[in-house]
Amino acid sequence: MLKLLLANRVAAVAGLLVVAFVMVAIMAPILAPCDPNEQHPEAIRAAPFWRADGDSRFLLGSDSLGRDLLSRIMFGARISILLGVVVVLLTLLVGTGLGMLAGYFGGAFDAVMSRIVDTLLAFPFLIFALAIMAATGPNLVALVSALAFKGWVDFYRVARADVLAAREADYVTAARGVGASTAYILFSEILPNIVPPLIVLAALRMAIIIIAEASLSFLGIGVPPSIPAWGTMVADGRADIASAWWIATFPGLAILTLVLAVNLFGEGLRDALDPRMRQ
Amino acid sequence: MWGRFLRQRLLQLIPVLIGVSFIVFLTMHLTPGDPIEHMLGQAGRVTQEQIDELRAHYGLDRPLIVQYGLFLGNAARGEFGPSYSHHGRTVRSVVAARLPATLELTLFAFVIAIVFAIPAGVIASLRPHGLFDRLATVGALLGISMPGFWLGIVLMIIFGLQRHWLPISGRIDLALIPEYVTGVHTLDALLTANGPAFWSALKHLALPGVAMAAPMAAMVMRMVRSSMIGVLAQDYVQFARAKGLPETTVVGKHALRNALIPTVNIVALQTGLLLSGNMIIETVFQFPGLGKLAVDAIAAADYPLVQAVVLIYAVSYVLLNLVADALHAALDPRVQIA
Amino acid sequence: MAAPLLEVRDLSTCFSTYRGQLRAVDGVGLRIERGETLALVGESGCGKSVTALSIMRLIRRPGRIVRGEVLFEGEDLLRKSGLEMRRIRGGRIAMVFQDPLSTLNPTFSLENQVVESLRIHRVARGKEARERSVRLLEAMGIPAPRERLRSYPHELSGGMRQRVMLAIAVSCEPDLLIADEPTTALDVTLQAQILDLLGQIREERGLATLLITHDLGIVSQFSDRAAVMYAGQVVEEGPVAELLENPLHPYTAGLLRCVPRLGRPDVPIRPIEGSVPDMIALPPGCRFAPRCPEVMERCRVAVPPLYDRGGRRIVRCYIHESGAKPTGPPGAC
């Protein structure tokens, strides 16, 4: 009993942390000490405030253009969370929709889909993303497409497998016996039952998307440089790692913390939903 | 039985390769970057005639379908034509020069991940929620939550810059390159009994290798752990003990083999991801391999090179799955292959 | 009188659960002579399997043996080292389990699993071990043993697998065989075959057997003596024929009333009212008291000790008080 509570406590704390990040992102304009794009030429590469040579104006230090890191990190949360949510929602809808159709109707559609999935999986995500972004230049829509390109496959598989199993279940047979239409069965009967694992998957995918977006931004082909983004900040700080290591380190720490919180929360969700499902 | 399995799988390889190459082909050709412009970038003023001539020379004026057909035909023979961005060299030679580096790094990361993850997972499963298990679980969570490029940079900072223990870029001390046998420096050094070269190559592999291996090790460890916990609760484990077998045999032989069955699939999946992560890590560490090559080639709109690299990745992925399925069948006699 | 092959004294095994300590086995005592078959009977959850596992010292966290002695050929197994126990398991005492599909490792061939025992207990190696395996399978009534050795557990039928388990069990010539519900997972015709086989093995090798079962039918045809367990304690013990004909403990009588008798349609089947007690929060007094048709006031106050009624008949019930008391009341975990 004690262990059960403990595990849930960790997940709860993680959930709170995620909420905290979201709140910071939303209220960044109010919370941030400086404008994230404002340069302070007199205080470039300032050290964090706890160091002897630190500057108390810049709690986490400043980058090579004199911009406050703390403010940039706060604003960076906005794009990471926004993109994460948008991409996950998109892939969730597309993947689940296609998966439900493939699982319920099977046949040629299913066969064709599995070929497409096989091919997509063999495709290295990064190359596709690189190609698109290199072609279109820094462009948020293209970025979302690149991130969503392979992302829907996980949702597709889970939805398809669950629908396949549900198809033969008693409650579906009963619904058909009463004369329910296919659409009704799919949306009102089957869908509610397959939602829990999809939610868990959404949380875990969110973590992956956040890292993917950061990686693309790091390579310079993600978020446009005018928008503060964690990946871009790490790339900016790369030149100074020998002297001003904090410029590259702290944004990455922000990524790590958010992703860790999302992962822990997702796992907590999974544990909470699972045993109850197995009744 | 195995012959049929192999034939079936290799046959499946073809449509996947065609699909992948088609997507790349389309993407590259339909996007605005122009290779001719890149090529002539430095040449100053050029006439339209010269541009057209160059274009015809590379066959870029033919219809897309024809270009694709030609590409497929040549690719089947391993011919990819000249590279647009590496002047005077064929794609094949450029790729061949860089392939051993990536192979070496990927293999190194793979070995580190496996050697670390499997024993850790087993030990963690022996005492669930014990100290080791808790530490391992936390470590694994960190491993999957860290962006690879950031881990690479942090490792660079800690081990390369603050303490000068390990190098942070390149493959090997250029003064120590061993005699060419395979292009894989560590192997070549061993084959030619060249100690200093071996150590130099190994040191250069250390940081990028660990950065690449971390997420894979994390996932594999978790899989092994949960798999083992399930297996250790099975009756046949208890029966093995009742037979009088020592605990190491019970865990190492009877339990582990069953636990490895689902693990093989995760390992294959993660190794596939290893190839993706490879591109980022090579860029971070300036490691002269295929990944960095790909990143640069795309920026330069070097179509043949990009296509060749993508094909290599796709082939690796399919082969990986093939090996994983074969291993799966070898471990589990209940599985039918083909 | 010769020393018994196996003598268990005051054995107690507890499990730590989040609700408290569960006394699965509470002060159990047993005796098995050489070549004798003792049946350990009771409903699920009464502690009979845990008793068997305790004898083999196969109890793992969160369970532990808290008290008692397990004397095998005069030596206390509970005091032996890990290495010594390993030699005894499989070598001197062998155990077969209930479900042969889950008890054989699915990823190894039969040959591998049979030869493994032989090798561990230094009975044979290599080619000789293989030959022995063939002969063992043959002795167990498995057709085409040489080819069979190369197959895997999932390729065999349930009855075949049980025979293989028995082959492994007797391969190193043990003195005692513990069979935990050996026929429960099989259908009736197979049950008979396996029991015949067990009987045959017993005769040929002079094997003593501890047969654990809830099936009274098997008890009557297959054992010399029987011990009935309820809620972690032995409540009655005696020669089988006597026990079944004339049960002393109300629980035993109740069990027998539950079993339909062939050829006696006039005898009504009467289930025992109530359910087994919560093993973590046990009531004071006799554990069967809440369900006992002959319960008295003193039954609810203190657990009755075991009374010896002569002729190796033992019963834990105040009704049969006049007699000596071989064991004191059980302690707490």
Side-chain angles (χ1 to χ4, degrees), chain A residues 119 121-124 126-127 130 135 211 214-215 218 234 238 241 245 248-249 252-253 255-256 259-260 263-264 267, chain B residues 16 19-20 24 27 31 141 145-147 149-150 153 156-157 161-162 222 276 279-280 283-284 298 310 313-314 317:
Chain A
T119 309
L121 285 179
F123 208 94
L126 214 50
I127 291 207
L130 276 167
I211 293 189
S215 306
F218 174 79
V234 175
R238 230 177 114 192
I241 53 175
W245 52 266
T249 309
L253 213 53
I255 305 176
L256 169 58
V259 172
L260 189 60
N263 270 325
L264 276 172
E267 306 229 326
Chain B
V16 171
V20 170
V24 173
T27 318
T31 59
L141 271 168
S145 305
M146 272 191 294
F149 61 87
W150 183 75
I153 290 184
M156 262 194 205
I157 293 177
L161 296 171
Q162 308 230 319
R222 293 176 75 185
S276 302
M279 285 188 239
I280 296 181
T283 307
V284 169
I298 292 179
V310 169
Y313 276 109
Y317 175 80

Side-chain angles (χ1 to χ4, degrees), chain C:
Chain C
M1 210 165 70
L5 177 65
L6 178 74
E7 182 168 2
V8 176
R9 290 187 195 156
D10 199 25
L11 179 65
S12 297
T13 304
C14 283
F15 285 80
S16 307
T17 72
Y18 62 82
R19 279 178 53 215
Q21 293 291 324
L22 193 154
R23 301 182 231 164
V25 175
D26 200 351
V28 164
L30 299 170
R31 270 169 67 123
I32 306 183
E33 308 290 339
R34 277 190 188 283
E36 186 183 38
T37 298
L38 173 68
L40 196 52
V41 188
E43 304 170 79
S44 348
C46 70
K48 41 193 208 296
S49 288
V50 177
T51 305
L53 290 173
S54 303
I55 293 174
M56 295 277 276
R57 277 182 64 188
L58 284 175
I59 300 288
R60 300 177 73 81
R61 248 181 295 118
R64 66 193 198 291
I65 303 175
V66 294
R67 217 174 57 235
E69 295 173 297
V70 176
L71 299 171
F72 182 68
E73 295 186 331
E75 296 177 328
D76 188 0
L77 295 183
L78 298 182
R79 291 196 189 293
K80 288 213 176 264
S81 72
L83 185 59
E84 291 171 323
M85 256 337 277
R86 286 209 305 264
R87 290 211 197 101
I88 292 178
R89 285 190 209 118
R92 315 259 300 283
I93 309 180
M95 188 159 172
V96 290
F97 294 79
Q98 179 174 330
D99 182 359
L101 177 55
S102 58
T103 338
L104 290 171
N105 194 322
T107 56
F108 290 116
S109 69
L110 295 185
E111 180 177 341
N112 191 312
Q113 302 190 54
V114 177
V115 166
E116 190 180 36
S117 282
L118 292 172
R119 211 183 35 215
I120 289 288
H121 293 284
R122 316 267 176 92
V123 173
R125 274 187 324 185
K127 200 147 177 260
E128 197 201 330
R130 248 198 315 263
E131 289 307 313
R132 268 188 185 250
S133 310
V134 175
R135 271 177 279 142
L136 265 170
L137 290 195
E138 207 170 21
M140 295 296 128
I142 297 176
R146 203 173 289 273
E147 288 74 31
R148 270 287 186 280
L149 269 182
R150 277 181 275 136
S151 30
Y152 289 88
H154 68 279
E155 293 171 341
L156 269 57
S157 68
M160 213 55 88
R161 278 180 236 130
Q162 195 61 296
R163 289 173 193 264
V164 172
M165 266 234 283
L166 283 169
I168 295 178
V170 304
S171 62
C172 304
E173 322 262 321
D175 299 309
L176 172 65
L177 174 69
I178 303 181
D180 191 350
E181 312 260 16
T183 56
T184 306
L186 306 172
D187 59 46
V188 181
T189 37
L190 282 175
Q191 273 185 22
Q193 286 178 20
I194 296 296
L195 281 175
D196 274 346
L197 182 57
L198 268 171
Q200 191 188 321
I201 297 174
R202 215 175 32 169
E203 304 272 314
E204 288 170 5
R205 294 156 200 260
L207 208 51
T209 310
L210 175 60
L211 175 68
I212 298 175
T213 181
H214 61 270
D215 185 342
L216 289 170
I218 299 179
V219 172
S220 65
Q221 72 184 84
F222 195 73
S223 4
D224 302 317
R225 313 186 67 248
V228 180
M229 274 185 78
Y230 184 77
Q233 293 177 317
V234 171
V235 296
E236 187 170 357
E237 191 186 325
V240 159
E242 274 185 53
L243 197 101
L244 295 181
E245 212 40 53
N246 183 21
L248 293 178
H249 195 282
Y251 175 60
T252 318
L255 275 181
L256 286 165
R257 277 198 294 269
C258 295
V259 179
R261 307 253 178 152
L262 208 58
R264 300 282 311 271
D266 53 312
V267 177
I269 306 174
R270 269 192 268 136
I272 309 178
E273 299 287 321
S275 53
V276 290
D278 180 355
M279 295 299 291
I280 295 177
L282 285 162
C286 175
R287 294 179 190 176
F288 188 61
R291 308 167 76 181
C292 184
E294 306 181 44
V295 63
M296 306 181 286
E297 267 315 300
R298 61 187 300 210
C299 298
R300 301 190 210 273
V301 174
V303 179
L306 286 168
Y307 295 110
D308 186 342
R309 299 278 293 164
R312 294 184 70 201
R313 282 275 258 161
I314 304 172
V315 59
R316 189 189 291 276
C317 183
Y318 288 123
I319 298 178
H320 304 282
E321 193 172 2
S322 49
K325 305 177 195 182
T327 6
C333 270

